Amino acid sequence: MNCRECSEFILRYLEGELPPDEQASFERHMGHCPPCLRYLEQYKLTVRAGKVACAEATALAASVPEELIQAILDSRKPR
Ligand SMILES: [Zn+2]
């Protein structure tokens, strides 16, 4: 596996969708290619940050009272 192939496999690797033999060669490449390993770490952080931001947005939306949403919608109505 080369660096370009690695970058194509990275998402599926993180999703756990790689077949065992491809996962093995992916991990072997990571073991001796520091730039790809750094890229993988960076990618993991980005994915995690994205998930956290998404969870916070969902929690925020869930905590807004119905009355407030209605008031905002009402205030946007043309008079
Ligand atoms: Zn590489």
Side-chain angles (χ1 to χ4, degrees), residues 2-78:
N2 59 36
C3 294
R4 201 179 56 80
E5 285 171 326
C6 252
S7 68
E8 286 169 8
F9 281 134
I10 206 163
L11 184 60
R12 282 194 291 151
Y13 173 77
L14 290 175
E15 301 278 329
E17 287 174 355
L18 282 184
D21 57 329
E22 287 182 353
Q23 181 173 330
S25 61
F26 182 92
E27 285 171 347
R28 200 162 342 111
H29 184 90
M30 287 297 155
H32 65 73
C33 185
C36 279
L37 189 59
R38 209 170 320 124
Y39 182 69
L40 175 66
E41 291 304 318
Q42 227 21 66
Y43 205 100
K44 276 194 214 164
L45 289 176
T46 309
V47 168
R48 199 175 314 143
K51 283 192 178 146
V52 169
C54 190
E56 278 175 0
T58 308
L60 188 66
S63 69
V64 176
E66 187 64 31
E67 293 83 358
L68 181 57
I69 296 171
Q70 204 53 54
I72 293 169
L73 291 178
D74 283 348
S75 72
R76 292 164 61 105
K77 277 186 193 151

